[in-house]
Amino acid sequence: MNVPRIVRALVILALLLTMSAGLTLGSLTQPVAARSQGEGEPVQGGVLHLSLGEEPDQLDPARTISLTASDVMQVVYDRLVYIDDEGLPQPWIAESWEISDDGKVITFKIREGMKFHDGTDVDANAVKFTYDRILDPEMAAPYKSFVETLESVEAPDATTAVFTFSEPYAPFFTNSTIIGIVSPAAVEQFGDDFGHNPVGSGPFMFKEWQPGTRIVFERFPDYVNYREDDTNNGPAYVDSLEYNIIGEAATRTAAFESQELDLIDVEFEDVERFSQTPGLTIVSLENSNNINFVEFSDRPPFDNVAFRKAINYAIDRDAIVELTYLGNATVNPCPVPVGNAAFDADLCAEHGYTFDPDRAREMLAEAGLTDGDGNGFVEMDGEELAVTLWTYTGFPEREKAVEIMQADFNEIGLRTDIQSVDFGALQPMLESGETGMDYMRWTLVDQSILSAMFKSPGWTQQTSDPELDALLDVADTTVDPAARLEASHAAMVYILDNAIIAPIASDWINVAAHDYVQNYHWDALNTPRLNDVWLTRE
Amino acid sequence: MTASTLTTSLSPRSTAIRFGPLDFLRRLFRTTQAQIGGAIVLLLLLTAVFAPLVAPYDPYELRVGSAKDPPSPAYPFGTDDLGRDMLSRIMYGARITVQIGTISVALALGIGVTIGLVAGFYGGWIDSLLMRFTDIMLAFPGFLLTLAIVAVLGPGLTNAMIAVGVGAFPGFARLVRGSVLSIRETEYVTAERVLGATPTRIMRSSILPNVLAPIIVLATLAFPLAVLDAAALSFLGLGAQPPTPEWGALLVDGRNYLRTAPHLVNIPGLAIFITVLGFNLIGNNLRDVLDPRLRAR
Amino acid sequence: MTAYVIRRLLLTIPVLFAIVTLVFAIRPLVPGDPVEIMLFGQSANPEVIANIRAQLGLDKSIPEQYLLYVSNVLRGDLGTSITTRQPVIEEITNRYPATLQLAIGAFLVSGIVGLGSGILAAVYKDSPIDTVAMIVATTGISMPAFWFGLLAIYLFSVNLGWFSVIPDGSLKSLVLPALTLGLIASSIVARLVRSAMLEVLGQEYVQTARAKGLTERRVVMHHALRNAAIPVVTIVGLQFGGLLTGAFIIEAVFAWHGIGELAVQAFAKRDFPMIQGITLVVATTYVLVNLVVDVIYAALDPRITYS
């Protein structure tokens, strides 16, 4: 829950850019799915109190782009497939599927006997209906970007759904997990209000929406869970879910402490305290698919590889992890998240960079930047140099991290200004080619994160490196998992040798729960599996 | 809340300061409240001026090993989440606080007094035009106007000061105009006019000194409001940017440590509170001293 | 009197019109492309972008946009929120009652506390009671609202467990936010009551009442307070307008789902139709409250003439 909006948006972007010939997703790593407690026999009943940092707009997959909505929709709708710990698609509403030889047609066999909350059947027609709404230009569905080359969906009979693509589309299975299958009858009934009266076939049924205040769901008593990565195959254990909308983080924390919330996305500052508090548990996903890094503009001095290496050597990554993430992150020398299949500590240790201010000063000198006037800061072309380091507002740990980096850069004689900008303003700024560097965070499960981040023209329109593009093309079009990994590694070596970014750390996902919350865990795509949760509150 | 809500409490009947500076100060600091307020404001000003001399450490120096240390002899106010000395940060923050208050109030004064003087002195359509404009600005209650200005200008300390200042000018304009109106027709001003004094001269020599008292009171009370508004902007992420040790930003950055390292939130909170309290106590007493109705007793 | 009210009403119209114009001007002035903000970094195809621009009317010239905006406002259409995709007017209407509740609660608190400490301070002028009452009254307005609110939540809700952190719609959950906001506002009320009382207490008829041997309590409650009421009512009325809108941060801290919280979110996300809508509604409310206060004031104070 509460993954920063930008990150999820970038995932979308990342996935879009990943156009490869095959339809195999390739291998993913296995995020360690930490769980809360989960001992003893599951108990039925109770209300699970959760929080949302903002109100979702609509719970209709054909209308929303909100990440909060996407989180909440997880409990209402089932999907065609889910992604397992191996990174492979597994049957859910779709019982099985076949891919045509040219990779352009996928034929799903739809499971029989599943019901929507309104009692109607989940069938191929409902699947077609759901995707037709996404494809319909009239709907202007933002999720259309997730099914880029999908042309049409046909339902020749109740158990067959045929998806036809104009070009093979590798990310389809992963992307399809964001699109919940909706009840056509309910859409008919509610019309434009469907987004406020969602009806799917998921473990929880919509009950009530108090505008601005809370959204309540109750258990779908007839639920059958076909996912094999869950422990509970039947209806949810808890009677209902209550999402309370609380914008202020400190207030969410207070509500959690007073037991008005059973579970929160915990602030880094509170992890240690809560882990030492009797009755509370911290559940962590350390092997995360997050990566924090510094990226550069393509203008001087950033176009100089020695300068970029200086930046890489100047950053005290341990200090950032200790002080801003308070230890809740893993220092990451690789240009991919630690949870990524392509992550390779040895390879990145060989080609990557560690904190070494002296090397950083040497590199600055090599880049032709020296302190001629002896004021402690270097000049460029005879003029005092001051570079800008941006980050986006709303995330205190990011703002702290850039403060640390600012101190690091000033230490090696590189005068640095820092600036926090609203994300809505940052992207156009980067695209317009303002000179500077920025501290960014991406989340993506697949190796294709490399292409998403580094293929020309890049999300900031400032990337152009034909040599790297060629390496990435190989990685994207190689279907064999071992060969694909090798190709990814080749690209990573190039990225590190040329210091194209400065990777910093992969932050963990932390949830704080009261001890009575049992069996809270995530799936491979970092989605909480609330159907499995039970409460042992007296 | 901005200065505009305060103006109504100031009677336009308030008139000029008519006693010497010493007498004035004696009257002002007659009460315990004013003495407390005066001590606070003096401390703030001294800290602001001498911060680089008295601050024990560099307020920007990070210490990886000693983050969030509680207050100790070495660090009387403890250290912040990046190991920086809180006392030094608070001392440097005092400069920013004084800056915020001074610049915002100066801006509000500059715009407000000019509009008020011109409108009140010339009257007629100029008055109508300026006062309608002021009324419209007054229709955006306090903080909302400030927020709207920041939305247009973008976040940052400078923009925050501008926004707070512009947000507060209508109060000054209305107050000054009211005062000018009550003085304009006095025999003294009429006499000057008959003697051929230019409008600028009349405004400077006769009218301005006579409306000074209410302006001083309002400015003193607007100062703490500006400090609070700037802190509120920091809460919304629209104020000072890191690593500037602006008190509001320190307070907001510390909010998640209320349980684990309470000094990170309570020390900046107290700093703002005490400062604002000091100005309010002085401002309130100034009003008592300068308000002729109360002074008469 | 009727003429005065009508004149005052008519004067309000150009003011409201000017407010609409200023509010419209916010959008062209806010930096950043609203469509970019809406898509939040997602690459959308040009067709989708063009559709959204058309939806928002951004494909038209500024004067056209202005006319469209004015005509929409007149029809009660304040546009659609960028972030929630709901009609702005609906979002505001949903939240208005909560803000009104909080404002009334805070209004009562500020009235009671402000009147009480103001009277005490005036009656015991220059005594320690005066000093303490005034310092206490000044405390509220001197606390950063955010800090004040957070301390209150931790003390009363988390540590003492007296109130719930998440408002449940009951009267009880109104107590803490109303108290916090009310205490902030009571400072000004207390000051004014003290000044007004001091002025009245010094006047002849009060001296006469004292001379007649009435008890001090009776003098204060009957003679002084009634005459001090006029300026106090005005200020308290204006305060109400301020409270209705000055609760931004208090609402955000207490998860109080009113207009203030909505505004905080809208400003943080640059949701410009929402910013415009809230600014417009709040400013209009404020103007109308001022109008009512003026009329009440005129009705109360015989000294005002309505020429």
Side-chain angles (χ1 to χ4, degrees):
Chain A
M1 293 180 290
N2 208 14
V3 178
R5 183 184 285 258
I6 155 127
V7 173
R8 202 80 71 87
L10 288 174
V11 172
I12 302 165
L13 184 70
L15 290 169
L16 275 175
L17 291 167
T18 316
M19 303 293 294
S20 59
L23 270 170
T24 312
L25 264 172
S27 66
L28 294 164
T29 46
Q30 303 83 34
V32 177
R35 278 170 199 260
S36 73
Q37 307 275 311
E39 289 147 15
E41 278 301 299
V43 185
Q44 201 86 20
V47 181
L48 182 60
H49 302 89
L50 305 164
S51 64
L52 299 172
E54 60 174 12
E55 183 168 25
D57 50 355
Q58 312 209 20
L59 300 176
D60 178 351
R63 295 221 186 249
T64 184
I65 185 71
S66 149
L67 297 170
T68 309
S70 159
D71 290 333
V72 178
M73 286 193 298
Q74 290 289 341
V75 306
V76 192
Y77 303 109
D78 286 341
R79 289 108 214 279
L80 277 177
V81 300
Y82 70 92
I83 302 297
D84 70 7
D85 286 349
E86 310 293 325
L88 299 173
Q90 295 294 336
W92 196 353
I93 286 179
E95 204 168 10
S96 62
W97 51 88
E98 274 172 31
I99 304 167
S100 68
D101 290 339
D102 64 359
K104 292 183 179 176
V105 179
I106 312 177
T107 308
F108 288 97
K109 184 174 186 305
I110 304 304
R111 205 180 289 278
E112 284 179 88
M114 289 178 75
K115 297 279 186 199
F116 287 113
H117 304 148
D118 59 7
T120 56
D121 287 335
V122 179
D123 57 13
N125 185 51
V127 173
K128 174 180 161 54
F129 181 83
T130 299
Y131 278 87
D132 279 351
R133 289 179 84 229
I134 306 273
L135 294 175
D136 183 358
E138 290 281 296
M139 298 290 291
Y143 281 176
K144 191 170 188 301
S145 312
F146 285 80
V147 292
E148 193 74 343
T149 63
L150 179 63
E151 279 191 330
S152 66
V153 180
E154 295 308 323
D157 60 62
T159 59
T160 311
V162 184
F163 284 62
T164 308
F165 298 81
S166 58
E167 293 293 331
Y169 188 55
F172 178 74
F173 284 104
T174 308
N175 287 4
S176 75
T177 60
I178 200 163
I179 297 169
I181 305 300
V182 302
S183 159
V187 172
E188 182 93 353
Q189 183 192 338
F190 293 109
D192 281 348
D193 284 337
F194 179 75
H196 282 84
N197 296 275
V199 177
S201 59
F204 293 94
M205 303 190 290
F206 172 75
K207 185 182 175 206
E208 183 189 11
W209 188 325
Q210 299 169 21
T213 308
R214 62 175 64 82
I215 307 175
V216 184
F217 295 89
E218 53 189 0
R219 173 178 45 227
F220 178 34
D222 300 329
Y223 190 65
V224 182
N225 184 9
Y226 292 98
R227 288 182 63 148
E228 291 184 359
D229 59 343
D230 285 345
T231 51
N232 176 18
N233 299 325
Y237 298 123
V238 297
D239 291 336
S240 55
L241 298 179
E242 190 181 293
Y243 288 98
N244 293 283
I245 300 158
I246 306 173
E248 172 54 36
T251 311
R252 283 198 295 275
T253 306
F256 172 69
E257 287 185 72
S258 63
Q259 288 205 14
E260 290 165 60
L261 295 175
D262 301 318
L263 190 87
I264 52 164
D265 294 309
V266 64
E267 304 294 314
F268 295 126
E269 291 82 359
D270 289 319
V271 169
E272 198 186 335
R273 175 165 69 98
F274 286 161
S275 67
Q276 288 163 359
T277 307
L280 301 182
T281 309
I282 298 287
V283 196
S284 294
L285 186 61
E286 295 184 14
N287 213 359
S288 80
N289 287 303
N290 306 324
I291 180 166
N292 297 276
F293 57 95
V294 175
E295 60 183 352
F296 309 108
S297 102
D298 58 358
R299 315 272 164 98
F302 298 97
D303 58 343
N304 187 319
V305 63
F307 180 80
R308 297 194 302 261
K309 284 184 180 172
I311 297 284
N312 263 286
Y313 283 122
I315 299 170
D316 186 351
R317 294 170 178 79
D318 290 317
I320 291 175
V321 165
E322 190 190 323
L323 292 176
T324 73
Y325 299 105
L326 306 174
N328 294 282
T330 308
V331 169
N332 184 359
C334 285
V336 293
V338 290
N340 195 285
F343 178 82
D344 187 324
D346 295 336
L347 178 116
C348 298
E350 193 187 331
H351 294 272
Y353 307 84
T354 48
F355 179 48
D356 189 341
D358 291 331
R359 285 297 301 277
R361 283 187 202 97
E362 285 169 35
M363 286 294 151
L364 268 191
E366 200 179 310
L369 304 175
T370 48
D371 180 14
D373 58 10
N375 68 346
F377 294 103
V378 300
E379 294 100 50
M380 181 168 73
D381 302 330
E383 281 180 42
E384 283 295 324
L385 175 67
V387 296
T388 310
L389 171 60
W390 294 292
T391 193
Y392 44 92
T393 50
F395 303 91
E397 73 277 8
R398 311 201 64 74
E399 300 186 31
K400 259 183 270 170
V402 297
E403 287 185 54
I404 294 174
M405 286 187 248
Q406 179 189 37
D408 288 343
F409 298 152
N410 285 338
E411 176 66 31
I412 63 161
L414 176 64
R415 192 193 295 274
T416 310
D417 299 321
I418 55 181
Q419 212 182 338
S420 291
V421 192
D422 182 81
F423 186 78
L426 179 61
Q427 195 192 6
M429 213 162 96
L430 296 174
E431 282 180 355
S432 72
E434 284 223 34
T435 306
M437 50 187 161
D438 62 274
Y439 184 47
M440 196 39 66
R441 177 179 186 268
W442 281 36
T443 301
L444 186 59
V445 284
D446 193 53
Q447 289 173 57
S448 56
I449 189 171
L450 286 167
S451 295
M453 284 168 60
F454 302 108
K455 217 176 211 174
S456 312
W459 79 288
T460 60
Q461 312 285 321
Q462 296 207 35
T463 308
S464 61
D465 187 334
E467 207 174 327
L468 180 55
D469 285 347
L471 287 169
L472 292 168
D473 278 336
V474 177
D476 286 345
T477 52
T478 306
V479 178
D480 175 67
R484 187 184 184 210
L485 198 60
E486 209 172 295
S488 290
H489 284 164
M492 284 160 59
V493 166
Y494 182 90
I495 291 162
L496 290 173
D497 287 347
N498 289 283
I500 290 177
I501 58 165
I504 309 289
S506 287
D507 51 310
W508 305 345
I509 298 172
N510 295 311
V511 156
H514 288 277
D515 275 351
Y516 54 76
V517 178
Q518 308 285 341
N519 204 28
Y520 181 90
H521 65 101
W522 294 273
D523 71 2
L525 298 182
N526 299 357
T527 306
R529 299 301 306 152
L530 300 180
N531 193 47
D532 277 2
V533 172
W534 72 86
L535 303 172
T536 49
R537 172 137 72 167
E538 296 306 312
Chain B
M1 274 154 287
T2 59
S4 61
T5 46
L6 290 168
T7 51
T8 35
S9 64
L10 290 163
S11 160
R13 277 176 284 157
S14 316
T15 45
I17 307 169
R18 292 269 185 251
F19 31 64
L22 267 181
D23 182 36
F24 168 69
L25 283 179
R26 209 169 28 240
R27 279 165 183 273
L28 176 59
F29 292 109
R30 197 170 38 108
T31 63
T32 322
Q33 289 178 55
Q35 287 156 11
I36 296 174
I40 293 170
V41 171
L42 190 67
L43 182 67
L44 176 81
L45 293 177
L46 288 177
T47 312
V49 171
F50 296 109
L53 298 177
V54 292
Y57 301 94
D58 174 352
Y60 299 105
E61 188 195 341
L62 311 184
R63 285 172 206 80
V64 177
S66 50
K68 290 180 287 172
D69 285 356
S72 65
Y75 304 108
F77 285 0
T79 60
D80 77 356
D81 49 355
L82 296 180
R84 293 173 293 209
D85 177 44
M86 277 299 272
L87 177 59
S88 306
R89 286 179 75 71
I90 291 287
M91 284 175 163
Y92 275 82
R95 313 190 113 190
I96 299 169
T97 300
V98 171
Q99 221 180 10
I100 291 171
T102 314
I103 294 178
S104 310
V105 172
L107 199 63
L109 266 175
I111 307 175
V113 170
T114 310
I115 291 183
L117 274 181
V118 171
F121 186 80
Y122 289 105
W125 67 269
I126 297 180
D127 181 30
S128 298
L129 190 75
L130 290 174
M131 280 304 111
R132 282 297 85 76
F133 174 65
T134 306
D135 281 349
I136 289 158
M137 296 311 263
L138 268 175
F140 296 91
F143 197 49
L144 190 67
L145 183 55
T146 301
L147 269 179
I149 295 167
V150 172
V152 170
L153 295 178
L157 186 59
T158 315
N159 290 345
M161 290 189 281
I162 296 173
V164 171
V166 175
F169 92 82
F172 284 92
R174 209 162 69 164
L175 172 77
V176 172
R177 175 188 172 261
S179 304
V180 172
L181 281 182
S182 65
I183 294 162
R184 196 176 58 170
E185 303 307 330
T186 56
E187 282 170 22
Y188 182 66
V189 174
T190 317
E192 271 208 273
R193 201 178 283 161
V194 170
L195 290 173
T198 62
T200 328
R201 195 190 131 76
I202 299 177
M203 269 194 244
R204 214 177 38 223
S205 68
S206 305
I207 294 186
L208 202 54
N210 277 288
V211 297
L212 211 53
I215 293 177
I216 290 174
V217 175
L218 186 57
T220 315
L221 291 170
F223 191 102
L225 287 178
V227 173
L228 286 178
D229 277 355
L233 285 177
S234 290
F235 169 73
L236 299 174
L238 299 172
Q241 301 292 306
T244 319
E246 192 265 315
W247 291 350
L250 298 186
L251 173 64
V252 174
D253 287 350
R255 65 176 139 182
N256 288 326
Y257 299 105
L258 192 60
R259 284 313 189 71
T260 44
H263 67 279
L264 284 186
V265 52
N266 290 335
I267 286 178
L270 277 171
I272 298 176
F273 167 55
I274 291 172
T275 302
V276 172
L277 184 70
F279 273 96
N280 279 333
L281 290 178
I282 288 203
N284 290 337
N285 279 275
L286 259 178
R287 183 164 48 200
D288 290 354
V289 173
L290 293 178
D291 190 325
R293 288 170 299 163
L294 300 178
R295 210 173 65 231
R297 272 166 42 82
Chain C
M1 179 70 199
T2 319
Y4 172 77
V5 172
I6 290 171
R7 203 169 67 95
R8 193 67 187 70
L9 265 172
L10 287 177
L11 268 177
T12 308
I13 293 169
V15 171
L16 289 178
F17 190 73
I19 289 172
V20 173
T21 308
L22 272 182
V23 163
F24 166 79
I26 293 175
R27 185 171 67 189
L29 289 175
V30 169
D33 181 351
V35 180
E36 288 278 0
I37 297 167
M38 193 167 177
L39 294 168
F40 217 86
Q42 182 197 3
S43 68
N45 65 47
E47 191 191 338
V48 174
I49 292 180
N51 279 342
I52 298 173
R53 296 192 76 87
Q55 242 174 35
L56 295 172
L58 292 173
D59 52 344
K60 299 191 174 63
S61 71
I62 299 276
E64 276 180 295
Q65 288 185 36
Y66 175 65
L67 288 178
L68 190 70
Y69 185 73
V70 173
S71 76
N72 282 343
V73 167
L74 288 177
R75 282 184 284 116
D77 176 6
L78 299 182
T80 306
S81 156
I82 287 178
T83 46
T84 70
R85 300 268 196 119
Q86 300 296 303
V88 168
I89 187 75
E90 211 171 278
E91 296 269 351
I92 294 175
T93 327
N94 279 338
R95 285 166 177 267
Y96 211 88
T99 296
L100 207 57
Q101 269 179 18
L102 180 58
I104 292 172
F107 181 63
L108 291 176
V109 172
S110 71
I112 294 166
V113 176
L115 271 176
S117 48
I119 293 173
L120 266 182
V123 170
Y124 299 98
K125 182 169 187 283
D126 297 337
S127 76
I129 294 180
D130 180 16
T131 307
V132 170
M134 279 302 106
I135 290 181
V136 168
T138 315
T139 298
I141 204 174
S142 304
M143 298 267 276
F146 160 66
W147 186 49
F148 196 9
L150 208 56
L151 290 180
I153 288 183
Y154 267 95
L155 180 60
F156 295 108
S157 298
V158 178
N159 289 349
L160 297 173
W162 290 356
F163 304 99
S164 62
V165 178
I166 304 172
D168 56 8
S170 69
L171 204 57
K172 196 178 161 196
S173 58
L174 177 63
V175 173
L176 217 44
L179 214 57
T180 316
L181 186 58
L183 283 178
I184 293 173
S186 67
S187 313
I188 294 173
V189 178
R191 273 320 301 179
L192 291 165
V193 171
R194 181 175 177 275
S195 303
M197 285 293 290
L198 283 181
E199 187 181 4
V200 172
L201 283 173
Q203 280 171 4
E204 275 174 26
Y205 60 91
V206 174
Q207 312 280 25
T208 312
R210 283 214 185 90
K212 283 199 299 192
L214 293 177
T215 62
E216 188 64 19
R217 187 188 156 80
R218 205 175 151 72
V219 171
V220 170
M221 299 315 278
H222 271 250
H223 295 263
L225 193 55
R226 205 186 317 164
N227 286 287
I230 295 169
V232 170
V233 163
T234 319
I235 295 310
V236 172
L238 284 173
Q239 275 288 302
F240 185 72
L243 283 174
L244 207 59
T245 57
F248 286 66
I249 285 168
I250 293 296
E251 284 191 7
V253 171
F254 285 97
W256 192 261
H257 302 296
I259 293 185
E261 194 203 40
L262 194 67
V264 166
Q265 288 169 7
F267 277 99
K269 290 179 188 155
R270 296 241 178 108
D271 183 347
F272 72 86
M274 191 69 97
I275 292 176
Q276 288 177 307
I278 293 171
T279 311
L280 189 63
V281 168
V282 162
T284 307
T285 308
Y286 199 62
V287 167
L288 293 179
V289 169
N290 280 345
L291 175 71
V292 171
V293 169
D294 275 4
V295 170
I296 294 178
Y297 188 84
L300 274 181
D301 192 343
R303 282 174 296 182
I304 290 188
T305 50
Y306 317 105
S307 53

